[in-house]
Amino acid sequence: MFLLILFAFLALVVGFWLVPRVLSRTSLGHFLLNRWRFFEESFHAHQFYKIPKFNQHMQENQVYHQVLTYLNSLPSAADSDFVNLFSGYNKSNQIILVIDAHQVFPDTFLGSRVYWKFDKDCFVLKMRRKEKRRILSSYLQHIHKVADEIEQKSNEVMLYINSENEPERNGRWISTPFTHPATIDTAVIDSDLKNKVKSDLESFLKSKQYYHRLGRVWKRSYLLYGPSGTGKSSFIAGMAKFLCYDIYDVDMLKITGDSDLKRLLLQTTSKSMIVVEDLDRYLAEKSTAVSLSGVLNFMDGIISCCGEERLMVFTVSNKDQVDPTVLRPGRIDVHIHFPLCDFSSFKNLANSHLGIKEHKLFPQVEEIFQTGASLSAAEIGEIMISNRGSPTRALKTVINALQTNNDAKTTSSKTGLIHKLTHNGSVTGSSGAPRNLSHSGSIDGLVDLPSKLTHSGSSRTIEESGDSGIFCMENMHTGKELKKLYGLLRNRSRRKESVDLDGGDAKLST
């Protein structure tokens, strides 16, 4: 009898230990556990906290973003009934678990149990009312700390673009991970300039107190100017990667007015870069929604102080065509020029694209560059990428492209010179040679022309007195025409002087 009682007792103990563990792995156990927790919580009063995605000004709520990052890291998120699976942005074989809407996620902090519910545009936090004073503040700080650690490890930069679709519901910005591989070091500009930019950016990151002591907003503005294809956009990507700042790419054509541009700026965050590309083309448009005054206020008006630790970056093709008020100090702090390729830039491209530092064709390439031929870094880079299997073929193709560019410039300059000379009253005889190149009807009008040659390293401009205007020559291939013209004028001048001398002697003799 005693053995029977002992056996029954052991069976009961084992049952109490084993049954919950078996049930926990079944749907029945999961159901019973949830019912028990619901029954237990029904005896307590609860406090609810709502965390919306946007605030009352339609700005993105940073707490919402931090809670989303935090909840995705919880084990309970992976154990929920529905979980979204996404591929990684940087690694295609990486799988990311993302919580789904209308799910409840339990969490434990300092011995207290809290619950999160995820709706489409907000999170709802549920905790016992008697525990809110003890854990609420420290719990939110814990969320902030964990989210920051996760973001620093991921080191992910986001790209935001202004959207037109339902901004009242979805906000003014839509985002995507920014995975551009460019860095400041890969930019095709002078190495010393790269180091200066890095030093300037690092100094800016440490200058919060300095800016505040001066009474200035902690922000900095850059102007990147140069022809298309010289690497301005890639340099912006490199700056963002260097700072780990998100990019807000402003499409000015989608903005409906000055006030809309201000609202757009209000919805940006700190630690970000606000980018406006091709500003000169937009300002040159006559029918634009945003006025020049609106652009100036966007750059450094009162509205620009609504957010700190930001960079504003503008790109233009030709800054000489931009209103000087846009470029004054305070609105633009740093100007960075991106020229067309010279021989030094070409060698850097050959090293990075083809893996060569010297080649027998380099002297020929340098000679063509010295004649004034030029191509953008994008054009030369594309040639090298297409012919990366054969460096010699790549260099020969670059040489042909430079020669074609040089010939096109020569033809254009000759055509322009002939057009100008013809426009200024040239009359051709039967042989086709110009007889008269002046407004007055005689060749004497150009006697002083050689004295008007301006020398700035190479004779590139000819300035003629009167109303004849300015002629611009892009190269020296018109030297033969000038020599012929100069010889003709010189002979004419000598004849005229001899006639005057003879006349003078006659007068003296009388």
Side-chain angles (χ1 to χ4, degrees):
M1 187 67 181
F2 174 75
L3 292 176
L4 184 61
I5 295 174
L6 180 62
F7 179 77
F9 176 76
L10 292 176
L12 184 64
V13 171
V14 172
F16 274 108
W17 178 82
L18 186 62
V19 170
R21 284 160 177 75
V22 173
L23 289 177
S24 64
R25 298 177 182 274
T26 64
S27 58
L28 177 61
H30 183 69
F31 173 78
L32 293 176
L33 181 61
N34 287 337
R35 292 299 93 188
W36 170 254
R37 288 176 177 173
F38 177 79
F39 177 74
E40 182 185 11
E41 291 294 333
S42 63
F43 289 95
H44 298 276
H46 292 86
Q47 181 73 44
F48 295 88
Y49 298 92
K50 188 176 181 179
I51 303 174
K53 186 176 182 179
F54 302 102
N55 62 18
Q56 65 273 24
H57 304 296
M58 290 305 295
Q59 294 174 308
E60 185 176 359
N61 187 358
Q62 293 302 304
V63 179
Y64 176 92
H65 179 70
Q66 292 173 350
V67 169
L68 178 60
T69 302
Y70 174 75
L71 291 181
N72 281 320
S73 67
L74 293 179
S76 58
D79 296 336
S80 60
D81 294 336
F82 295 96
V83 183
N84 298 306
L85 301 180
F86 295 102
S87 61
Y89 298 114
N90 298 323
K91 299 179 181 179
S92 58
N93 59 347
Q94 181 184 17
I95 303 298
I96 300 175
L97 302 180
V98 180
I99 59 178
D100 192 67
H102 310 297
Q103 300 296 304
V104 177
F105 309 96
D107 190 20
T108 302
F109 183 74
L110 297 180
S112 298
R113 197 169 188 84
V114 298
Y115 298 89
W116 289 95
K117 184 178 180 181
F118 179 33
D119 288 331
K120 187 174 183 180
D121 294 321
C122 72
F123 288 104
V124 178
L125 171 62
K126 174 184 175 182
M127 66 173 54
R128 295 177 182 178
R129 189 182 297 271
K130 66 179 182 179
E131 295 179 342
K132 67 176 184 179
R133 296 184 183 275
R134 182 174 67 91
I135 69 169
L136 178 61
S137 178
S138 55
Y139 182 54
L140 294 178
Q141 292 176 3
H142 169 71
I143 292 174
H144 177 75
K145 180 181 178 181
V146 172
D148 279 351
E149 291 176 353
I150 293 174
E151 290 179 354
Q152 288 177 5
K153 288 181 181 179
S154 65
N155 202 23
E156 188 176 66
V157 175
M158 301 296 292
L159 172 64
Y160 293 83
I161 58 175
N162 48 314
S163 172
E164 294 177 310
N165 299 325
E166 299 183 354
E168 297 80 9
R169 179 180 178 182
N170 301 322
R172 295 301 309 272
W173 298 98
I174 57 176
S175 63
T176 184
F178 187 68
T179 57
H180 201 296
T183 64
I184 292 180
D185 292 326
T186 59
V188 189
I189 57 176
D190 184 69
S191 298
D192 291 338
L193 181 57
K194 296 178 187 177
N195 294 331
K196 289 179 180 178
V197 173
K198 288 182 180 179
S199 177
D200 186 73
L201 293 174
E202 289 173 346
S203 176
F204 170 76
L205 291 176
K206 304 173 185 177
S207 301
K208 180 178 181 179
Q209 299 301 326
Y210 177 74
Y211 274 77
H212 287 181
R213 182 165 60 83
L214 297 177
R216 297 186 59 175
V217 180
W218 187 23
K219 69 180 185 67
R220 195 154 179 80
S221 300
Y222 288 77
L223 177 73
L224 314 184
Y225 66 97
S228 299
T230 51
K232 299 186 292 295
S233 298
S234 296
F235 193 76
I236 292 174
M239 293 173 68
K241 300 288 281 295
F242 182 80
L243 296 170
C244 292
Y245 277 12
D246 292 337
I247 299 177
Y248 287 86
D249 187 10
V250 181
D251 187 350
M252 300 290 287
L253 297 178
K254 292 182 179 179
I255 300 173
T256 59
D258 294 355
S259 298
D260 189 41
L261 182 60
K262 292 179 180 180
R263 288 192 295 268
L264 198 66
L265 183 61
L266 284 175
Q267 295 182 27
T268 60
T269 61
S270 299
K271 292 187 177 182
S272 62
M273 289 176 56
I274 300 172
V275 178
V276 179
E277 295 192 276
D278 299 323
L279 180 61
D280 53 339
R281 295 183 182 180
Y282 180 80
L283 294 177
E285 294 286 339
K286 295 182 179 179
S287 56
T288 55
V290 181
S291 65
L292 176 60
S293 175
V295 173
L296 298 180
N297 289 328
F298 170 78
M299 296 175 72
D300 74 334
I302 294 295
I303 193 67
S304 67
C305 71
C306 300
E308 288 195 310
E309 196 176 357
R310 292 192 298 200
L311 260 64
M312 302 188 78
V313 184
F314 305 89
T315 70
V316 297
S317 297
N318 187 353
K319 72 174 185 177
D320 295 333
Q321 297 179 356
V322 180
D323 193 305
T325 57
V326 177
L327 306 180
R328 71 159 176 80
R331 291 198 175 105
I332 299 295
D333 302 310
V334 182
H335 295 237
I336 304 177
H337 183 215
F338 288 77
L340 293 173
C341 266
D342 56 11
F343 182 64
S344 177
S345 301
F346 165 80
K347 291 182 68 176
N348 291 334
L349 287 172
N351 185 24
S352 61
H353 287 63
L354 303 176
I356 57 175
K357 294 184 178 180
E358 293 295 337
H359 195 276
K360 62 182 181 180
L361 293 177
F362 275 12
Q364 186 177 352
V365 176
E366 183 177 12
E367 182 180 352
I368 297 176
F369 272 115
Q370 290 175 351
T371 63
S374 60
L375 291 173
S376 68
E379 292 171 317
I380 295 179
E382 183 57 35
I383 292 174
M384 292 180 175
I385 291 174
S386 301
N387 299 277
R388 60 186 179 273
S390 173
T392 300
R393 183 173 68 245
L395 296 182
K396 288 182 178 180
T397 308
V398 170
I399 290 173
N400 291 334
L402 288 170
Q403 289 175 340
T404 302
N405 175 269
N406 206 6
D407 293 342
K409 285 186 177 182
T410 302
T411 303
S412 176
S413 62
K414 286 183 179 181
T415 304
L417 178 63
I418 294 173
H419 175 75
K420 286 287 186 179
L421 293 176
T422 305
H423 178 71
N424 289 333
S426 63
V427 180
T428 56
S430 59
S431 62
R435 287 184 177 178
N436 191 352
L437 299 176
S438 70
H439 292 284
S440 60
S442 67
I443 201 168
D444 298 335
L446 286 180
V447 169
D448 295 331
L449 182 59
S451 64
K452 297 295 183 178
L453 293 176
T454 61
H455 303 274
S456 57
S458 63
S459 303
R460 298 190 65 178
T461 58
I462 300 178
E463 198 172 65
E464 183 180 339
S465 60
D467 298 327
S468 57
I470 298 176
F471 302 87
C472 295
M473 296 184 295
E474 296 297 331
N475 49 59
M476 295 303 299
H477 291 277
T478 55
K480 293 182 180 180
E481 287 83 358
L482 285 177
K483 287 180 180 180
K484 291 181 181 179
L485 179 61
Y486 181 70
L488 183 63
L489 297 176
R490 191 174 180 182
N491 292 335
R492 178 63 177 175
S493 178
R494 288 177 178 176
R495 292 177 185 175
K496 184 175 180 180
E497 289 175 359
S498 63
V499 172
D500 291 341
L501 288 175
D502 292 342
D505 293 340
K507 289 180 181 179
L508 288 173
S509 63
T510 58

